[in-house]
Amino acid sequence: MAQILDGKAHADRMLEVVRTSVEARISAGLRAPCLAVVLVGENPASQVYVKNKVAACIRTGIRSLERFLPETTSSSTLLATILQLNEAPDVDGILVQLPLPKPLDAKAIVQRIDPAKDVDGLHPLNQGLLFQGQKGLRPCTPNAVMNMLKAYGVVMQGKRAVVLGRSEIVGKPMALMLLEEQATVTIAHSRTLDLPALCREADILVAAMGQPGLVEGSWIKPGAVVVDVGINRVEKLGLGERIFAKDPKKLETLKAKGSVLCGDVRYGEAFEVAGAITPVPGGVGPLTIAGLLMNTLQACEARG
Ligand code: GUN
């Protein structure tokens, strides 16, 4: 049976650190940090993310500024918004909620964010600093996952780590951060041959492919640390019956409500084999927002 890595509890501790730091700034006569979130269009998942970010800001005393733009916003209008936020002296962090509606080019937009305010850590300058192992703003999810693994005392040095997924926001930076901690890292992806055999070598397995229940219990090395970054909504009963064979509560929820949230790992199966594992929900999800607010505080303090 695995130890549960409680992302929600760790995120609460991170948010408490942010809250007390903000309070200390204000007591010292300094201004509160400010995070600007830009949301283009009406993607329902993005609207939920933004709402959660605003709630976390309120909880920690960080000022939050929202810019809601219509689905049809042109690239030049969006850029004008970014440039205005870059210039605003009291804005410390800028986050453009992804994905952007077509035909907007996320990479081109993110490159125009002031790197000192790039709290997503997606600007090429911040990516370069991470590549070189230097201090900078780092992508929130992998940064917060590393923070949690260290807090749980997970040893990374010399271990085999496998990261499933090669996204700029999770997979690639996660691999670089594990490497920085002296793990031996492999990035696997949709074209990797014999994924199960590769996963079985992992002492630390990070799943970030966005495929519900991809990782089976038999893919996991006994005692491995499993971090499940996936947050997927499953609606198909056939799929649910396959991936929730050892997760009767999930299957029950799916049948009762018509959908259920799950990760990229078959939790019920993995739980019997792994040494430690993050649940979904309540694992990595809450860490992302905690990481974002940590980055906003870091950006504010670095800007002086
Ligand atoms: N959409 C889903 N997750 C994220 C994130 O971490 N940052 C941004 N900008 N958009 C997202």
PDB file of all heavy atoms in Angstrom, residues 241-255:
ATOM      1  N   GLU A 241     -15.146   1.450 -16.996  1.00  0.00           N
ATOM      2  CA  GLU A 241     -15.132   0.065 -16.506  1.00  0.00           C
ATOM      3  C   GLU A 241     -13.738  -0.547 -16.645  1.00  0.00           C
ATOM      4  O   GLU A 241     -13.325  -1.354 -15.826  1.00  0.00           O
ATOM      5  CB  GLU A 241     -16.174  -0.765 -17.267  1.00  0.00           C
ATOM      6  CG  GLU A 241     -17.560  -0.530 -16.682  1.00  0.00           C
ATOM      7  CD  GLU A 241     -18.698  -1.133 -17.471  1.00  0.00           C
ATOM      8  OE1 GLU A 241     -18.512  -1.452 -18.659  1.00  0.00           O
ATOM      9  OE2 GLU A 241     -19.784  -1.243 -16.895  1.00  0.00           O
ATOM     10  N   ARG A 242     -13.000  -0.102 -17.668  1.00  0.00           N
ATOM     11  CA  ARG A 242     -11.646  -0.612 -17.886  1.00  0.00           C
ATOM     12  C   ARG A 242     -10.660  -0.013 -16.879  1.00  0.00           C
ATOM     13  O   ARG A 242      -9.912  -0.734 -16.230  1.00  0.00           O
ATOM     14  CB  ARG A 242     -11.207  -0.264 -19.317  1.00  0.00           C
ATOM     15  CG  ARG A 242     -10.492  -1.373 -19.982  1.00  0.00           C
ATOM     16  CD  ARG A 242     -10.389  -1.300 -21.504  1.00  0.00           C
ATOM     17  NE  ARG A 242     -10.820  -0.111 -22.186  1.00  0.00           N
ATOM     18  CZ  ARG A 242     -10.026   0.906 -22.534  1.00  0.00           C
ATOM     19  NH1 ARG A 242      -8.753   0.888 -22.225  1.00  0.00           N
ATOM     20  NH2 ARG A 242     -10.505   1.935 -23.201  1.00  0.00           N
ATOM     21  N   ILE A 243     -10.685   1.312 -16.748  1.00  0.00           N
ATOM     22  CA  ILE A 243      -9.626   1.946 -15.944  1.00  0.00           C
ATOM     23  C   ILE A 243      -9.964   2.010 -14.447  1.00  0.00           C
ATOM     24  O   ILE A 243      -9.074   2.222 -13.639  1.00  0.00           O
ATOM     25  CB  ILE A 243      -9.250   3.356 -16.487  1.00  0.00           C
ATOM     26  CG1 ILE A 243     -10.408   4.340 -16.343  1.00  0.00           C
ATOM     27  CG2 ILE A 243      -8.789   3.272 -17.929  1.00  0.00           C
ATOM     28  CD1 ILE A 243     -10.037   5.757 -16.806  1.00  0.00           C
ATOM     29  N   PHE A 244     -11.229   1.812 -14.101  1.00  0.00           N
ATOM     30  CA  PHE A 244     -11.595   1.874 -12.677  1.00  0.00           C
ATOM     31  C   PHE A 244     -11.888   0.499 -12.086  1.00  0.00           C
ATOM     32  O   PHE A 244     -12.598   0.380 -11.093  1.00  0.00           O
ATOM     33  CB  PHE A 244     -12.810   2.791 -12.469  1.00  0.00           C
ATOM     34  CG  PHE A 244     -12.612   4.200 -12.949  1.00  0.00           C
ATOM     35  CD1 PHE A 244     -13.618   4.878 -13.626  1.00  0.00           C
ATOM     36  CD2 PHE A 244     -11.416   4.867 -12.720  1.00  0.00           C
ATOM     37  CE1 PHE A 244     -13.443   6.185 -14.076  1.00  0.00           C
ATOM     38  CE2 PHE A 244     -11.219   6.174 -13.171  1.00  0.00           C
ATOM     39  CZ  PHE A 244     -12.244   6.828 -13.858  1.00  0.00           C
ATOM     40  N   ALA A 245     -11.312  -0.557 -12.701  1.00  0.00           N
ATOM     41  CA  ALA A 245     -11.578  -1.917 -12.213  1.00  0.00           C
ATOM     42  C   ALA A 245     -11.225  -2.035 -10.727  1.00  0.00           C
ATOM     43  O   ALA A 245     -11.890  -2.754  -9.987  1.00  0.00           O
ATOM     44  CB  ALA A 245     -10.790  -2.922 -13.037  1.00  0.00           C
ATOM     45  N   LYS A 246     -10.176  -1.312 -10.307  1.00  0.00           N
ATOM     46  CA  LYS A 246      -9.778  -1.380  -8.885  1.00  0.00           C
ATOM     47  C   LYS A 246     -10.073  -0.062  -8.172  1.00  0.00           C
ATOM     48  O   LYS A 246      -9.423   0.298  -7.193  1.00  0.00           O
ATOM     49  CB  LYS A 246      -8.288  -1.714  -8.790  1.00  0.00           C
ATOM     50  CG  LYS A 246      -7.986  -3.105  -9.264  1.00  0.00           C
ATOM     51  CD  LYS A 246      -6.918  -3.753  -8.423  1.00  0.00           C
ATOM     52  CE  LYS A 246      -6.848  -5.236  -8.726  1.00  0.00           C
ATOM     53  NZ  LYS A 246      -5.630  -5.853  -8.268  1.00  0.00           N
ATOM     54  N   ASP A 247     -11.020   0.678  -8.685  1.00  0.00           N
ATOM     55  CA  ASP A 247     -11.372   1.980  -8.112  1.00  0.00           C
ATOM     56  C   ASP A 247     -12.898   2.098  -8.083  1.00  0.00           C
ATOM     57  O   ASP A 247     -13.484   2.948  -8.770  1.00  0.00           O
ATOM     58  CB  ASP A 247     -10.759   3.074  -9.011  1.00  0.00           C
ATOM     59  CG  ASP A 247     -10.180   4.214  -8.209  1.00  0.00           C
ATOM     60  OD1 ASP A 247     -10.620   4.404  -7.068  1.00  0.00           O
ATOM     61  OD2 ASP A 247      -9.290   4.907  -8.755  1.00  0.00           O
ATOM     62  N   PRO A 248     -13.563   1.237  -7.284  1.00  0.00           N
ATOM     63  CA  PRO A 248     -15.023   1.139  -7.375  1.00  0.00           C
ATOM     64  C   PRO A 248     -15.744   2.465  -7.098  1.00  0.00           C
ATOM     65  O   PRO A 248     -16.798   2.716  -7.687  1.00  0.00           O
ATOM     66  CB  PRO A 248     -15.379   0.087  -6.315  1.00  0.00           C
ATOM     67  CG  PRO A 248     -14.159  -0.120  -5.492  1.00  0.00           C
ATOM     68  CD  PRO A 248     -12.980   0.296  -6.307  1.00  0.00           C
ATOM     69  N   LYS A 249     -15.137   3.323  -6.258  1.00  0.00           N
ATOM     70  CA  LYS A 249     -15.818   4.601  -5.953  1.00  0.00           C
ATOM     71  C   LYS A 249     -15.902   5.486  -7.193  1.00  0.00           C
ATOM     72  O   LYS A 249     -16.902   6.160  -7.421  1.00  0.00           O
ATOM     73  CB  LYS A 249     -15.069   5.345  -4.837  1.00  0.00           C
ATOM     74  CG  LYS A 249     -15.468   4.874  -3.458  1.00  0.00           C
ATOM     75  CD  LYS A 249     -15.014   5.846  -2.400  1.00  0.00           C
ATOM     76  CE  LYS A 249     -15.291   5.245  -1.023  1.00  0.00           C
ATOM     77  NZ  LYS A 249     -14.274   5.602  -0.057  1.00  0.00           N
ATOM     78  N   LYS A 250     -14.815   5.492  -7.986  1.00  0.00           N
ATOM     79  CA  LYS A 250     -14.821   6.302  -9.214  1.00  0.00           C
ATOM     80  C   LYS A 250     -15.897   5.790 -10.176  1.00  0.00           C
ATOM     81  O   LYS A 250     -16.633   6.572 -10.775  1.00  0.00           O
ATOM     82  CB  LYS A 250     -13.453   6.235  -9.918  1.00  0.00           C
ATOM     83  CG  LYS A 250     -12.358   6.989  -9.205  1.00  0.00           C
ATOM     84  CD  LYS A 250     -12.133   8.371  -9.800  1.00  0.00           C
ATOM     85  CE  LYS A 250     -10.840   8.977  -9.329  1.00  0.00           C
ATOM     86  NZ  LYS A 250     -10.971  10.282  -8.719  1.00  0.00           N
ATOM     87  N   LEU A 251     -15.958   4.465 -10.297  1.00  0.00           N
ATOM     88  CA  LEU A 251     -16.938   3.870 -11.212  1.00  0.00           C
ATOM     89  C   LEU A 251     -18.365   4.198 -10.747  1.00  0.00           C
ATOM     90  O   LEU A 251     -19.232   4.547 -11.566  1.00  0.00           O
ATOM     91  CB  LEU A 251     -16.713   2.352 -11.286  1.00  0.00           C
ATOM     92  CG  LEU A 251     -17.468   1.625 -12.393  1.00  0.00           C
ATOM     93  CD1 LEU A 251     -17.168   2.214 -13.761  1.00  0.00           C
ATOM     94  CD2 LEU A 251     -17.124   0.130 -12.386  1.00  0.00           C
ATOM     95  N   GLU A 252     -18.550   4.144  -9.445  1.00  0.00           N
ATOM     96  CA  GLU A 252     -19.868   4.486  -8.873  1.00  0.00           C
ATOM     97  C   GLU A 252     -20.232   5.938  -9.214  1.00  0.00           C
ATOM     98  O   GLU A 252     -21.351   6.222  -9.641  1.00  0.00           O
ATOM     99  CB  GLU A 252     -19.761   4.392  -7.348  1.00  0.00           C
ATOM    100  CG  GLU A 252     -20.777   3.489  -6.674  1.00  0.00           C
ATOM    101  CD  GLU A 252     -20.421   3.360  -5.211  1.00  0.00           C
ATOM    102  OE1 GLU A 252     -20.678   4.316  -4.448  1.00  0.00           O
ATOM    103  OE2 GLU A 252     -19.858   2.322  -4.835  1.00  0.00           O
ATOM    104  N   THR A 253     -19.269   6.855  -9.025  1.00  0.00           N
ATOM    105  CA  THR A 253     -19.511   8.271  -9.323  1.00  0.00           C
ATOM    106  C   THR A 253     -19.840   8.452 -10.795  1.00  0.00           C
ATOM    107  O   THR A 253     -20.767   9.197 -11.153  1.00  0.00           O
ATOM    108  CB  THR A 253     -18.272   9.133  -8.960  1.00  0.00           C
ATOM    109  OG1 THR A 253     -17.920   8.842  -7.624  1.00  0.00           O
ATOM    110  CG2 THR A 253     -18.536  10.618  -9.123  1.00  0.00           C
ATOM    111  N   LEU A 254     -19.080   7.781 -11.652  1.00  0.00           N
ATOM    112  CA  LEU A 254     -19.313   7.887 -13.098  1.00  0.00           C
ATOM    113  C   LEU A 254     -20.744   7.450 -13.431  1.00  0.00           C
ATOM    114  O   LEU A 254     -21.448   8.132 -14.193  1.00  0.00           O
ATOM    115  CB  LEU A 254     -18.275   7.036 -13.842  1.00  0.00           C
ATOM    116  CG  LEU A 254     -18.461   6.856 -15.344  1.00  0.00           C
ATOM    117  CD1 LEU A 254     -18.463   8.201 -16.059  1.00  0.00           C
ATOM    118  CD2 LEU A 254     -17.357   5.980 -15.936  1.00  0.00           C
ATOM    119  N   LYS A 255     -21.160   6.335 -12.828  1.00  0.00           N
ATOM    120  CA  LYS A 255     -22.508   5.827 -13.117  1.00  0.00           C
ATOM    121  C   LYS A 255     -23.581   6.762 -12.562  1.00  0.00           C
ATOM    122  O   LYS A 255     -24.604   7.007 -13.196  1.00  0.00           O
ATOM    123  CB  LYS A 255     -22.671   4.423 -12.521  1.00  0.00           C
ATOM    124  CG  LYS A 255     -21.954   3.357 -13.331  1.00  0.00           C
ATOM    125  CD  LYS A 255     -22.099   1.983 -12.704  1.00  0.00           C
ATOM    126  CE  LYS A 255     -21.428   0.915 -13.556  1.00  0.00           C
ATOM    127  NZ  LYS A 255     -21.284  -0.356 -12.839  1.00  0.00           N
TER     128      LYS A 255
END
